[in-house]
Amino acid sequence: MTKQEKEEKIAKLRKRLELYYKREEEMLDGGVQSYGLGTRSATRYQTDLSTIRNAIKELEEEIASLESKSQRRAVGVIPRDW
């Protein structure tokens, strides 16, 4: 992955993260759906709050791993006895 591709991917992830933050804020500010039938009523979120928070956590971790300076590489060493 080139540096430019990496920066574009980080920008896309940040945009998605902002959308998830906005959705979480809407849910916490009362973004619920209410139903009523007679004397009974039900209230629920349109999306599960834990799902939103898990997605936020995953995006933050992915952004952090992409922004880290060092790239992890596997190196194998084979000792030889000449």
Side-chain angles (χ1 to χ4, degrees), residues 35-72:
Y35 301 98
L37 183 61
T39 60
R40 297 179 183 226
S41 64
T43 305
R44 70 176 183 93
Y45 289 114
Q46 293 176 353
T47 312
D48 188 25
L49 184 60
S50 64
T51 304
I52 298 293
R53 288 186 172 161
N54 287 338
I56 288 172
K57 183 178 178 183
E58 289 174 8
L59 286 171
E60 287 173 343
E61 289 173 356
E62 190 172 352
I63 290 171
S65 70
L66 286 173
E67 288 180 337
S68 66
K69 301 258 182 204
S70 65
Q71 292 289 332
R72 295 181 183 172

Side-chain angles (χ1 to χ4, degrees), residues 20-32 45-50 52-53 56:
Y20 274 111
Y21 281 141
K22 286 179 186 176
R23 180 65 181 141
E24 181 185 33
E25 184 178 338
E26 288 172 3
M27 290 177 70
L28 294 174
D29 285 342
V32 295
Y45 289 114
Q46 293 176 353
T47 312
D48 188 25
L49 184 60
S50 64
I52 298 293
R53 288 186 172 161
I56 288 172

